[in-house]
Amino acid sequence: MAGRSVRTFTVLPRLPDRLRPLHTLAYNMWWCWNADAVALFARVNPDLFEALDHSPIRLLGATDQARFEQLERDDGFLAHMDRVSAALDHYLAAPTWFQSEFPGERDARVAYFSAEFGIHESVPVYSGGLGVLAGDHLKSASDLGIPLVGVTLMYREGYFRQYLNVDGWQQERYPENDFFTLPLVPELDAAGKPVLVSVPLPGREVALRVWRIQVGRVPLYLLDANIPQNAPADRAITAQLYGGDKHTRIQQEIVLGIGGIRALKALGKMPTVCHMNEGHAAFTGLERIRLLIEEQRLDFATALEAVKAGSCFTTHTPVPAGNDSFDFAMAEQYLGEYMGRMSATRATLAQLGRQHPANEAEPFGMTVLALKLANVSNGVSALHGSVSRKMWKDLWPELPAPEVPIVHITNGVHTQSWLAPDFEHLYDRYLGIQWEERPTDFAIWKRVEHIPDGELWRAHERGRERLVALARKRLKAQLKRRGAPPSEVDAADEVLDPDALTIGFARRFATYKRGDLVFRDAERLARLIASKDKPVQFIFAGKAHPQDRGGKELIQRVVQMARRPEFRARVVFIEDYDMNVARHLVQGVDVWLNNPRRPLEASGTSGMKICCNGGLNLSILDGWWVEGYAGDNGWAIGAGEEYTDLAYQDEVEARALLDLIEQELVQLFYKRDAGGLPRDWIRRMKRSIMSLVPVFNTNRMVEQYAEQCYVPSHRREAALTANHFGGARELAEWRKRVAAEWHQVRVESVDAPTADHMHVGTQFPVTVQVRLGAFAPSDVTVQLCYGALDAMGEIGEPMVLPLTATGGGANGTVAFGGEVPCRASGQFGFSVRVLPKHASLPHSFEPGLVTWG
């Protein structure tokens, strides 16, 4: 075809006018978390809908005209369609949480940048947990009416599809996404032409086309480099999610960050707040700085203050290797000229991207850049917040780790997206319909106690039956593809027992998640599985990153175990884990197994998805489970220990895991009353639903982001940019002055009682003489940090007492004083520090300047 011009045209299904609402519903992803809408599309052609990854657009395209004509005459179908269509209209027009909570923030605009979004299996631009969390974030932002847009890349091949060879080794396929069978709407300019923006790469500009997917009230914008204006190599930048080498990665991150801001500007949707979901999105800050310098004629320092005020960052990675970084020379190659246009030097780049700017061996870190550009940063569980503070404390070298300004907002899941229809009907009947609108209301979920045990158990059993049916069907297809003999394919119909205790393990296969831990004592496990009257069975699924050899070896071990004669009927590995498989698993397992090496699981959200479906967690006390476990709502493996000897850890925890399954889970699950109900197990199911579902959901999570990150950042950004950026200029000047003159600040003396012993309930005075140099008392905060001493003589978790200026001291010092309360007995200590103070800072630690006494 070389040299010939190809003219393109698109063929769309011809829907009769009466069925036109189906088209509208298909192009708003709201349908995928509305059970009635899913049932509507299934009604068109159930087998076809299943075969086409539950994609309404592909379904409508593949349905013949005769079927449409039938539906047009089907009163029942039309009534169903009109009901769903009216529900969408009502949803889009209804008043929202954000409007009622923040009526004064009508001009707030939040942009949420993420390298992947998992909204539904029919839109394959996600790989795993990070993307599914981002998709759930958008759904809850839509439910709550947050003024938010999502930004990501439109991957032509998405993430790989997985299949296993004869030896159980993971292989990857990259089928191309057909854009015209996805719910993509091209963004057009005023002249009706596609919106195009470009980003600078070394020696060239790369053009990007902008698409949109509507997620309820929230638009998700996707950037696509695969257009004729680009050279073939550049068209491949948006080919694969997490594919390619370091050059591909930095190019993708430039497209996401810089291209994302340019796309929003071209669409007239410039945000007041940018939320960087993981370090991949950190270049958003640089582009916003560039725009302010070029359009508002600001200097770099002033523009940085304005951008930082409106930036939030979420880190998800508790291991240094998981945080993107690039050789500094590579960062210069890609960003040098771009930064030069802002009059920013190599030193500025080092200052932004390194923990120790002068260390020439240190690479350019995307997490470091994001932390330095954000005014609020958070981890994704309480434990991960603590791990992150220790990991990044070098950015605030004067602070003890507990005070490093990284907070935590624990992840959640979008309850309705993961809920089995049987449970939805149960909740409607016994909780009232408000559980959908108020998923965080404990009082509503307490009504779970009113659900009859028998009804709850039967709803859960139907989920297990569907899961076993899916597992058998997928296993047969896997065996046929590998050329297994017919007898083995037929035997797949007999694997698993729809009535047996079913344990699920499904997630990314990384070595620290220890997917094969349960097989460490294979003989003991075989005895458990072979039990005639109390059998246990396991279903595994998950992908390893294509470059992760250790993860692939884990999968191979699990698969080879599952093929052993003693395990074959009771252990299954389902290939090509996606959101459809995940939905069947979380709705069907009795127990969700999670056994990472603590503290390497930042949060983990898969275990949260089973709670609303009556499943129970069996997990190491890591990530979210540290906060969720309450003794009677699941099981904990170990007591939160951390080990240095990993082989010993695996040995201990594998034994503890099998002990729990054998001595507790099996006994409780098979202890039945006269009616065949496991009453004690059901009691635990109800405790799990009541205690976990109202907390670990994305509505609670997104409300926290709005209250702690979005609204405060929006207000700071508005304050600093008002009056031609007067606040940002003043803050930049102040920061420069403080950096230059802070060395003058000294604590000259600390005066406190000399007695060693105090009594509980008393307090003692402390007076501190501080030399302030060029600063006034109002420019600083003087604090006394006190608390119980640990074994190393350090104050483990300091409490902070602000001291008040009491007047001039000797030799030009200023006196500050306060009273220290003695609230408990034990060995205590205190120290004194001085911090710079400014009304526009998000917190006193932000400049990173502390003088200790």
Side-chain angles (χ1 to χ4, degrees):
M1 293 289 287
R4 294 189 206 167
S5 83
V6 177
R7 294 181 62 176
T8 62
F9 59 95
T10 306
V11 181
L12 297 170
R14 200 179 79 225
L15 274 174
D17 281 346
R18 182 68 182 89
L19 299 179
R20 195 54 49 97
L22 290 176
H23 182 271
T24 307
L25 288 164
Y27 275 86
N28 190 324
M29 295 305 296
W30 168 88
W31 70 263
C32 77
W33 72 91
N34 183 286
D36 209 17
V38 177
L40 174 72
F41 286 117
R43 201 165 166 172
V44 173
N45 185 329
D47 295 339
L48 191 58
F49 189 51
E50 181 76 33
L52 297 174
D53 285 329
H54 307 105
S55 164
I57 292 168
R58 290 170 68 192
L59 172 75
L60 297 180
T63 300
D64 58 39
Q65 222 57 37
R67 176 61 180 148
F68 286 140
E69 285 159 18
Q70 267 180 351
L71 293 172
E72 213 180 359
R73 297 190 298 273
D74 182 339
D75 288 346
F77 181 84
L78 294 176
H80 189 172
M81 180 186 73
D82 292 343
R83 182 174 75 241
V84 173
S85 182
L88 174 58
D89 292 343
H90 170 76
Y91 175 85
L92 295 175
T96 67
W97 173 86
F98 189 84
Q99 288 166 348
S100 68
E101 289 293 313
F102 300 105
E105 312 300 337
R106 293 188 185 279
D107 55 345
R109 293 181 304 282
V110 181
Y112 179 79
F113 287 76
S114 180
E116 50 170 315
F117 282 88
I119 298 162
H120 185 257
E121 64 266 20
S122 63
V123 187
V125 290
Y126 65 92
S127 77
L130 181 76
V132 173
L133 175 81
D136 281 5
H137 193 110
L138 291 195
K139 292 170 186 175
S140 280
S142 169
D143 291 344
L144 296 164
I146 311 281
L148 181 140
V149 303
V151 182
T152 190
L153 307 189
M154 185 58 231
Y155 301 98
R156 190 172 79 240
E157 298 170 2
Y159 200 52
F160 71 90
R161 306 298 294 263
Q162 176 197 55
Y163 66 99
L164 303 177
N165 69 13
V166 174
D167 295 328
W169 189 255
Q170 172 181 290
Q171 308 285 310
E172 294 91 23
R173 286 185 305 118
Y174 287 92
E176 293 218 353
N177 281 321
D178 177 356
F179 283 25
F180 296 99
T181 60
L182 292 171
L184 288 171
V185 177
E187 285 294 328
L188 306 175
D189 61 18
K193 291 194 164 61
V195 170
L196 294 180
V197 295
S198 69
V199 294
L201 290 179
R204 66 202 190 276
E205 290 276 321
V206 172
L208 305 167
R209 187 174 181 185
V210 186
W211 301 86
R212 172 171 54 85
I213 292 175
Q214 196 63 33
V215 185
R217 298 179 173 98
V218 168
L220 169 61
Y221 297 107
L222 304 100
L223 307 169
D224 174 20
N226 182 31
I227 52 177
Q229 289 88 330
N230 292 329
D234 289 338
R235 292 181 70 159
I237 291 172
T238 54
Q240 292 176 5
L241 171 57
Y242 305 142
D245 58 9
K246 284 274 193 184
H247 284 277
T248 308
R249 180 61 72 93
I250 197 170
Q251 289 170 5
Q252 287 188 339
E253 295 182 0
I254 286 170
V255 168
L256 176 63
I258 296 175
I261 291 292
R262 292 185 179 183
L264 293 179
K265 187 171 190 309
L267 296 167
K269 304 236 177 198
M270 269 303 279
T272 59
V273 176
C274 281
H275 183 172
M276 302 169 275
N277 189 42
E278 200 50 285
H280 312 129
F283 291 140
T284 53
L286 297 185
E287 177 61 11
R288 289 159 76 213
I289 291 170
R290 184 195 69 81
L291 280 172
L292 291 181
I293 290 171
E294 289 191 5
E295 293 178 359
Q296 305 294 333
R297 301 280 174 260
L298 302 182
D299 60 280
F300 191 92
T302 303
L304 173 61
E305 294 298 347
V307 166
K308 187 170 184 163
S311 300
C312 315
F313 169 55
T314 300
T315 173
H316 294 261
T317 317
V319 284
N323 291 271
D324 272 0
S325 63
F326 303 103
D327 285 342
F328 202 82
M330 185 188 282
E332 279 189 286
Q333 177 194 346
Y334 280 95
L335 297 169
E337 194 183 321
Y338 172 80
M339 295 293 284
R341 278 190 241 144
M342 302 183 235
S343 308
T345 61
R346 181 182 191 277
T348 314
L349 201 60
Q351 190 67 42
L352 287 170
R354 282 177 172 161
Q355 294 194 71
H356 310 96
N359 177 4
E360 284 300 319
E362 187 180 331
F364 183 90
M366 295 299 284
T367 303
V368 174
L369 177 63
L371 286 165
K372 289 189 174 183
L373 290 177
N375 84 111
V376 191
S377 299
N378 71 284
V380 289
S381 70
L383 180 61
H384 178 233
S386 170
V387 169
S388 300
R389 288 189 283 277
K390 289 182 189 133
M391 257 175 84
W392 302 109
K393 74 178 292 300
D394 280 6
L395 289 170
W396 293 271
E398 292 294 327
L399 286 179
E403 290 189 292
V404 166
I406 299 175
V407 296
H408 79 273
I409 293 177
T410 301
N411 283 345
V413 298
H414 187 255
T415 306
Q416 276 181 274
S417 292
W418 301 100
L419 190 61
D422 299 300
F423 271 82
E424 186 158 354
H425 299 321
L426 260 190
Y427 294 156
D428 282 348
R429 196 152 63 242
Y430 292 100
L431 276 58
I433 53 169
Q434 284 186 309
W435 68 268
E436 286 182 33
E437 282 154 38
R438 304 212 318 262
T440 59
D441 189 329
F442 274 96
I444 290 174
W445 290 100
K446 186 127 178 46
R447 298 175 198 159
V448 164
E449 287 180 330
H450 304 323
I451 301 176
D453 287 0
E455 286 189 53
L456 187 72
W457 186 245
R458 277 191 292 280
H460 178 65
E461 285 196 307
R462 284 193 289 274
R464 195 186 320 113
E465 285 159 12
R466 282 194 296 273
L467 170 60
V468 168
L470 173 94
R472 288 171 175 172
K473 185 174 151 193
R474 295 289 283 255
L475 186 60
K476 281 182 88 160
Q478 288 164 208
L479 291 167
K480 279 181 186 164
R481 195 168 51 244
R482 282 202 291 270
S487 60
E488 198 179 335
V489 175
D490 290 342
D493 279 331
E494 304 298 317
V495 302
L496 303 178
D497 176 351
D499 296 317
L501 171 58
T502 304
I503 298 176
F505 180 100
R507 52 187 45 81
R508 181 166 60 90
F509 266 74
T511 47
Y512 77 86
K513 293 178 188 270
R514 299 187 295 180
D516 62 343
L517 189 68
V518 76
F519 295 107
R520 269 187 81 93
D521 186 344
E523 286 175 20
R524 185 177 175 192
L525 184 65
R527 288 196 299 277
L528 260 175
I529 277 175
S531 168
K532 287 279 182 283
D533 52 341
K534 293 178 181 174
V536 182
Q537 58 196 13
F538 291 83
I539 302 179
F540 291 85
K543 296 174 174 179
H545 185 280
Q547 266 98 56
D548 182 3
R549 190 171 179 88
K552 289 183 171 185
E553 285 169 354
L554 260 184
I555 290 175
Q556 186 178 40
R557 275 204 293 283
V558 170
V559 170
Q560 289 178 347
M561 279 291 188
R563 288 181 188 166
R564 281 166 55 163
E566 64 268 39
F567 293 132
R568 188 170 283 162
R570 291 278 180 268
V571 179
V572 170
F573 186 96
I574 299 179
E575 288 176 25
D576 202 26
Y577 184 43
D578 66 0
M579 288 177 79
N580 180 39
V581 173
R583 206 178 296 108
H584 278 83
L585 276 161
V586 300
Q587 293 173 4
V589 298
D590 299 297
V591 174
W592 194 259
L593 175 60
N594 187 31
N595 43 231
R597 285 203 175 93
R598 179 185 156 117
L600 300 182
E601 182 84 272
S603 171
T605 53
S606 56
M608 300 173 187
K609 293 171 186 135
I610 67 157
C611 303
C612 57
N613 294 297
L616 295 171
N617 279 278
L618 167 61
S619 176
I620 296 283
L621 285 168
D622 196 7
W624 77 281
W625 192 231
V626 179
E627 297 161 64
Y629 176 61
D632 59 352
N633 60 354
W635 291 273
I637 305 164
E641 302 89 351
E642 290 172 25
Y643 296 79
T644 46
D645 182 340
L646 300 185
Y648 175 66
Q649 177 180 8
D650 291 351
E651 187 63 44
V652 169
E653 292 180 342
R655 192 163 44 235
L657 168 58
L658 285 177
D659 284 347
L660 273 170
I661 294 173
E662 190 171 28
Q663 292 158 25
E664 294 207 26
L665 276 69
V666 168
Q667 307 311 321
L668 207 63
F669 184 85
Y670 287 107
K671 182 184 163 197
R672 306 294 167 102
D673 67 5
L677 292 177
R679 298 278 181 186
D680 293 342
W681 186 278
I682 294 167
R683 191 173 303 120
R684 208 169 264 252
M685 284 167 68
K686 288 183 174 180
R687 283 291 307 135
S688 169
I689 295 168
M690 288 188 289
S691 62
L692 301 174
V693 177
V695 180
F696 297 98
N697 68 71
T698 40
N699 278 44
R700 183 270 311 153
M701 178 189 92
V702 173
E703 283 177 14
Q704 281 186 274
Y705 275 113
E707 291 161 352
Q708 295 176 33
C709 304
Y710 300 161
V711 172
S713 298
H714 168 68
R715 289 173 179 165
R716 285 195 71 236
E717 195 263 358
L720 291 190
T721 57
N723 301 322
H724 304 295
F725 295 84
R729 276 195 184 87
E730 194 268 324
L731 183 56
E733 284 298 322
W734 173 86
R735 202 185 289 273
K736 202 160 124 189
R737 180 172 79 89
V738 168
E741 298 178 355
W742 189 251
H743 65 277
Q744 300 172 12
V745 175
R746 278 201 315 276
V747 176
E748 294 287 7
S749 67
V750 178
D751 186 29
T754 52
D756 276 348
H757 298 96
M758 304 284 173
H759 292 284
V760 172
T762 60
Q763 45 193 31
F764 62 89
V766 173
T767 304
V768 183
Q769 302 289 345
V770 183
R771 188 169 300 285
L772 292 177
F775 298 100
S778 58
D779 292 331
V780 300
T781 298
V782 180
Q783 296 176 338
L784 185 138
C785 301
Y786 67 101
L789 297 178
D790 62 19
M792 307 303 292
E794 300 283 334
I795 302 171
E797 294 185 12
M799 288 172 282
V800 173
L801 177 75
L803 302 181
T804 311
T806 57
N811 303 322
T813 60
V814 178
F816 291 81
E819 302 250 315
V820 182
C822 302
R823 293 201 179 95
S825 55
Q827 180 86 50
F828 287 79
F830 72 85
S831 54
V832 173
R833 67 185 176 198
V834 188
L835 302 156
K837 183 168 80 176
H838 192 286
S840 296
L841 290 175
H843 45 78
S844 317
F845 300 143
E846 198 260 354
L849 297 169
V850 187
T851 295
W852 290 90

